[in-house]
Amino acid sequence: MDRTAAIISDQVNVDGTVKQLSLLADGKLWWPDGGKRNLTIEKEVIGFATDGLNIRLKTVVEGADGCCGCGSRGKVVRNDVVFRPSSEESHGLWCRKLKEFIDSLGRPKRLFVFVNPFGGRKFAANIFRDHVKPLLEDAQVHLTVQETKHQLHAKQVVQSLDFSKYDGIVCVSGDGILVEVVNGLLQREDWDTAIKIPLGVVPAGTGNGMAKSLLDSVGDPCTITNSVLAIIRGHKQSLDVATITQGETRFFSVLMLAWGLVADIDIESEKYRWMGSARIDFYALTRIFHLRHYEGCLYFVPAPGFEAYGETISYPGSSASKRIISDQMDGEPGKLKRLGYQGPEIDLENLSWRVLNGPFISVWLHNVPWGAENTKAAPNAEFSDGYLDLIIMKNCPKLPLLSLMSEMNNGGHVKSPHVMYLKVKALVLEPGPRLGDQEKEGIIDADGEVLARGKGSYHCEQKALMAYDKLQITVDQGLATLFTPI
């Protein structure tokens, strides 16, 4: 079909003036006389409604400081267009053809939405009511909404959710609810089907690293509107999932793992949560001026091109620890659920392992580029390349470290001579105590949650899932699916 051919063309009334309007095969709404702005349905029309013979197009268009639609670097604003077809017959035809074209785009029509009223500054409920819900309703999406009541509530819900009723799951929160959802999906008996359901994220927390990574990948600002539009348009992107294993205990990570400086800042700054995202910067200064070094070892399988890092070694083996806490985040201690995803099938013993010995200031493993809206931790990270980005600091004077940390908002820190930056297929972390104080150990942070807490470290309300001991991380390429801007 000629993409410029008209599917329907009609003399319509707009603001009391009769104009020619055509719906072209490529999805453009075209005004030949140039009197109105042409619209692209895929990018700019989220839905339509009727009022008598009037048809109201629900559109998003360019603001004064940017261009509209996917790939926009400016502000996207709402701007409905109302027109009146020439007759009842023409009205019916317009409605049918518009619906057929929008349906052909494969957009989601039924979404299960988690709203976390406790995340960040506790604005998620207002964000959903005032911004998310109106856009989704304009797109004629049927919503099932669940406010989370407590930690791990979202994980528990998805473990028994009937996915035949939904086209996707949306998380209006920070990154924590997304992580819960992924862990819940992968612990189902039908995990291989469940994990394929598309997941959407709307930034309403403190970090918002996944939303930032998705939108920044196409040059869009990390806003609520842009995130919702990415969900409405229905484009999908595969996402790597990391399996963190210790003995028989597993945790599934989609964002990051940190040990040392970054983990200490992320977890210990919780006592300043009332400050919002500013708590991170404030506590980072405290930790830099009272810098800690940690003993330990890193064993890893480098991606091609990164074999020069470390020394050759045989596979170190994963931890033999049998400690199982909360049955992988919820359940009876000591009772292992063997149902669900067990991690990628990799012959670890026959891979080319290398080792780096401590002490370390920081070890940071990233799946996506942004750890938070203002932290571009791993600028070369990709959503589905089958590798994790490893950022290591072994030694760095305090003043260069302060300068280095200030460049994390643009990813410039990885260019520092004090930073090693590489990609790995698998990793074994063997954490140790603080240098000079064997009675104090550290914290291992996975996706903003306390994965392990050593003796003498900061204690908070979060329960540790694993012991402060050797643990193994492997990655499964493209296991999960996200709604994405393109």
Side-chain angles (χ1 to χ4, degrees):
M1 178 186 290
D2 182 357
R3 294 181 63 81
T4 62
I7 296 174
I8 181 174
S9 186
D10 188 21
Q11 294 284 326
V12 302
N13 190 300
V14 181
D15 298 328
T17 303
V18 175
K19 299 178 180 294
Q20 187 75 23
L21 175 62
S22 300
L23 170 59
L24 305 184
D26 62 0
K28 285 189 174 65
L29 286 163
W30 186 52
W31 311 85
D33 62 1
K36 295 288 288 184
R37 186 184 186 280
N38 296 325
L39 295 168
T40 302
I41 291 181
E42 183 177 7
K43 293 182 179 180
E44 297 166 301
V45 179
I46 61 176
F48 70 95
T50 61
D51 179 14
L53 285 181
N54 288 333
I55 296 177
R56 180 180 296 273
L57 299 173
K58 305 287 186 176
T59 72
V60 287
V61 299
E62 64 182 45
D65 55 351
C67 59
C68 173
C70 190
S72 164
R73 286 178 172 80
K75 185 178 180 180
V76 176
V77 296
R78 306 279 295 278
N79 183 39
D80 291 355
V81 175
V82 180
F83 67 92
R84 186 183 183 92
S86 58
S87 66
E88 287 189 21
E89 181 181 0
S90 179
H91 177 275
L93 185 59
W94 269 105
C95 290
R96 185 167 69 254
K97 293 301 182 181
L98 285 170
K99 184 178 185 303
E100 286 175 357
F101 192 91
I102 291 173
D103 288 347
S104 73
L105 299 174
R107 293 177 175 180
K109 292 300 180 185
R110 307 162 302 166
L111 293 174
F112 191 96
V113 183
F114 285 108
V115 179
N116 177 17
F118 306 107
R121 294 193 174 184
K122 301 179 173 59
F123 292 156
N126 291 340
I127 288 171
F128 174 73
R129 183 191 66 233
D130 298 338
H131 303 284
V132 180
K133 185 179 179 182
L135 277 169
L136 292 174
E137 288 182 340
D138 278 354
Q140 297 177 319
V141 178
H142 180 269
L143 304 177
T144 301
V145 182
Q146 173 68 66
E147 279 200 3
T148 54
K149 306 299 182 185
H150 51 78
Q151 190 178 19
L152 306 181
H153 187 197
K155 177 176 179 286
Q156 294 164 1
V157 170
V158 298
Q159 285 181 314
S160 59
L161 201 62
D162 182 357
F163 293 122
S164 67
K165 298 179 179 179
Y166 307 104
D167 301 318
I169 299 174
V170 174
C171 306
V172 183
S173 70
D175 296 308
I177 298 300
L178 174 65
V179 175
E180 286 190 27
V181 168
V182 169
N183 275 267
L185 295 176
L186 289 174
Q187 290 182 13
R188 290 172 58 115
E189 185 175 2
D190 63 344
W191 66 267
D192 51 343
T193 300
I195 194 60
K196 295 175 183 177
I197 189 167
L199 308 175
V201 287
V202 177
T206 301
N208 307 315
M210 187 62 75
K212 175 69 173 182
S213 295
L214 284 166
L215 292 166
D216 186 67
S217 69
V218 297
D220 280 359
C222 185
T223 65
I224 295 161
T225 298
N226 283 336
S227 295
V228 178
L229 291 177
I231 295 165
I232 289 171
R233 289 169 183 146
H235 300 297
K236 301 173 184 68
Q237 161 78 55
S238 295
L239 176 69
D240 293 341
V241 176
T243 301
I244 305 172
T245 308
Q246 187 181 79
E248 298 295 335
T249 306
R250 291 177 180 83
F251 177 81
F252 304 111
S253 168
V254 293
L255 241 75
M256 51 77 78
L257 178 141
W259 171 55
L261 178 62
V262 173
D264 292 346
I265 292 170
D266 193 20
I267 300 303
E268 294 179 7
S269 66
E270 285 291 317
K271 55 191 172 184
Y272 303 107
R273 181 165 279 275
W274 56 269
M275 297 175 66
S277 57
R279 69 183 170 90
I280 301 294
D281 294 334
F282 169 77
Y283 197 70
L285 289 173
T286 302
R287 284 275 53 87
I288 289 171
F289 287 113
H290 299 87
L291 196 59
R292 302 165 180 168
H293 294 74
Y294 291 92
E295 298 176 13
C297 291
L298 281 179
Y299 308 90
F300 57 92
V301 178
F306 297 95
E307 296 88 351
Y309 291 92
E311 303 294 331
T312 302
I313 196 171
S314 59
Y315 173 54
S318 58
S319 172
S321 171
K322 299 297 181 182
R323 182 184 181 194
I324 303 166
I325 301 177
S326 299
D327 189 21
Q328 303 174 10
M329 296 175 69
D330 66 349
E332 298 177 15
K335 179 183 177 183
L336 176 66
K337 291 181 181 176
R338 296 191 178 276
L339 299 176
Y341 176 65
Q342 300 297 304
E345 296 181 3
I346 302 175
D347 185 5
L348 293 169
E349 293 186 4
N350 291 320
L351 295 178
S352 300
W353 287 87
R354 302 186 74 80
V355 63
L356 282 169
N357 294 304
F360 300 96
I361 292 175
S362 178
V363 173
W364 209 358
L365 199 64
H366 249 267
N367 193 34
V368 295
W370 293 84
E373 287 189 60
N374 60 354
T375 306
K376 195 173 188 178
N380 297 336
E382 298 179 24
F383 292 98
S384 185
D385 62 353
Y387 298 104
L388 298 169
D389 285 37
L390 179 59
I391 306 103
I392 304 168
M393 280 190 288
K394 292 193 65 178
N395 191 27
C396 185
K398 292 180 181 178
L399 287 180
L401 179 56
L402 189 62
S403 175
L404 182 154
M405 295 289 281
S406 70
E407 291 191 76
M408 285 187 177
N409 64 335
N410 59 20
H413 62 290
V414 300
K415 299 177 182 178
S416 167
H418 303 290
V419 172
M420 286 183 275
Y421 182 34
L422 61 152
K423 287 180 178 286
V424 300
K425 182 65 179 178
L427 181 139
V428 173
L429 169 61
E430 192 172 282
R434 291 186 203 172
L435 187 65
D437 191 344
Q438 297 293 310
E439 296 304 310
K440 290 187 177 180
E441 296 174 328
I443 296 169
I444 301 174
D445 166 17
D447 294 353
E449 303 296 328
V450 177
L451 188 69
R453 182 188 295 113
K455 62 184 179 181
S457 62
Y458 172 76
H459 281 263
C460 60
E461 294 180 358
Q462 295 185 41
K463 293 181 180 180
L465 306 176
M466 299 180 181
Y468 188 77
D469 198 356
K470 183 187 291 185
L471 51 83
Q472 177 177 284
I473 304 104
T474 51
V475 60
D476 201 333
Q477 185 174 8
L479 185 62
T481 302
L482 297 173
F483 286 117
T484 186
I486 58 172

